Amino acid sequence: MARAEAKTRKGTSGWFSWKTVRRRIIQLGVILILLPPVLTVMYSVVPPVSTLMLARYVQFLWVDRQWVPLEDISPNLIKAVIASEDGGFCVNHGVDWGALKNQVEALRDGERPRGASTITMQTAKNLFLWSGRSYIRKGMEIPLALMLDAVLTKKRILEIYLNIAEWGEGIFGAEAAAHAWFGKPAKGLSQTQAARLATALPNPRGRNPANPSAGHRRLSSKNIARVRGAGPIFECVLN
């Protein structure tokens, strides 16, 4: 009887030993490292959801997302989003190193950094990370963005981004946004409507594309002018 109790105590002690804890931590670390690449390969063919969408599902909150292929999204919106969010999308490899360097220097000089996020980095954040300003999160975005760019095509990255971006409380993706704000499918968005949606992305819950403020209208007008003078920055997704 005493031997059995000693064996039980030994087994319990072994379960809570530092060696076991260390092994569990290592196993968890390996899973966390391997999970994004595995999911990325899956996302090359399977429509993904964002972490923000998952958080709302867990809380039983309303989510409106209607996945559509890139071909069913107006070129007006594609151009407006690239011009607004990442003019170098077609030429960078997921990270705009020049912009990132400038923001690091601005931070070092005591200025407020402006993000320097590419569309690929924002896609990585939406798929794998959390919202809110955090240098830790920003640092994690970089390797994830490089991985996305290495595994997925530019068209697929933009297709995912436009289908998981938040455009209002519980509104995700271009199709849901087009219906919610303009009562039409994403394929039918005009240049003005597309510009308003694109310039709402930095503050999707504070900007109303259907009834924009004066400041939002100015941003939309600048976006339209930028698109018209952009040149061939959209070739990787529209040709």
Side-chain angles (χ1 to χ4, degrees):
M1 185 72 171
R3 184 179 299 176
E5 290 177 357
K7 185 176 181 180
T8 301
R9 286 196 300 271
K10 182 179 180 181
T12 303
S13 176
W15 174 257
F16 289 104
S17 70
W18 283 112
K19 183 177 181 180
T20 301
V21 171
R22 187 167 59 250
R23 184 168 65 249
R24 300 299 182 193
I25 292 174
I26 292 173
Q27 290 172 346
L28 179 61
V30 170
I31 291 173
L32 292 176
I33 291 172
L34 293 179
L35 189 59
V38 171
L39 288 176
T40 299
V41 173
M42 290 176 55
Y43 293 161
S44 65
V45 293
V46 176
V49 296
S50 68
T51 52
L52 187 54
M53 292 168 65
L54 286 173
R56 292 185 66 87
Y57 284 132
V58 169
Q59 299 174 72
F60 299 101
L61 297 175
W62 176 74
V63 171
D64 183 10
R65 198 284 288 271
Q66 306 159 45
W67 179 278
V68 291
L70 196 63
E71 293 74 19
D72 287 341
I73 298 176
S74 170
N76 289 324
L77 184 60
I78 292 172
K79 292 178 181 179
V81 168
I82 291 177
S84 178
E85 298 288 291
D86 183 7
F89 176 68
C90 284
V91 295
N92 65 47
H93 294 288
V95 178
D96 186 337
W97 296 107
L100 195 63
K101 178 183 177 182
N102 291 338
Q103 294 311 306
V104 171
E105 292 176 351
L107 180 63
R108 186 181 58 197
D109 294 339
E111 300 175 15
R112 183 179 178 181
R114 298 182 181 179
S117 287
T118 62
I119 286 175
T120 310
M121 290 174 68
Q122 293 179 63
T123 304
K125 179 202 73 176
N126 290 343
L127 287 176
F128 304 117
L129 303 174
W130 62 94
S131 300
R133 293 183 179 276
S134 167
Y135 294 122
I136 294 175
R137 194 212 70 200
K138 184 65 66 176
M140 295 174 69
E141 280 181 23
I142 294 174
L144 288 170
L146 294 172
M147 178 200 65
L148 286 180
D149 191 81
V151 175
L152 304 176
T153 65
K154 290 290 186 181
K155 285 188 175 181
R156 184 59 176 176
I157 292 171
L158 188 64
E159 184 176 66
I160 291 174
Y161 179 66
L162 291 177
N163 275 284
I164 64 174
E166 184 185 23
W167 261 298
E169 182 74 32
I171 302 170
F172 295 89
E175 186 72 5
H179 281 285
W181 297 116
F182 301 113
K184 61 170 61 176
K187 196 169 186 176
L189 291 168
S190 68
Q191 188 175 49
T192 297
Q193 292 167 341
R196 289 179 181 179
L197 283 174
T199 51
L201 281 171
N203 185 13
R205 298 190 187 185
R207 294 177 182 173
N208 185 330
N211 186 24
S213 64
H216 192 176
R217 288 179 184 274
R218 285 193 295 271
L219 289 173
S220 299
S221 297
K222 290 180 181 179
N223 179 267
I224 291 172
R226 191 177 296 122
V227 168
R228 289 174 177 170
I233 69 170
F234 315 112
E235 288 184 345
C236 67
V237 291
L238 291 178
N239 290 340

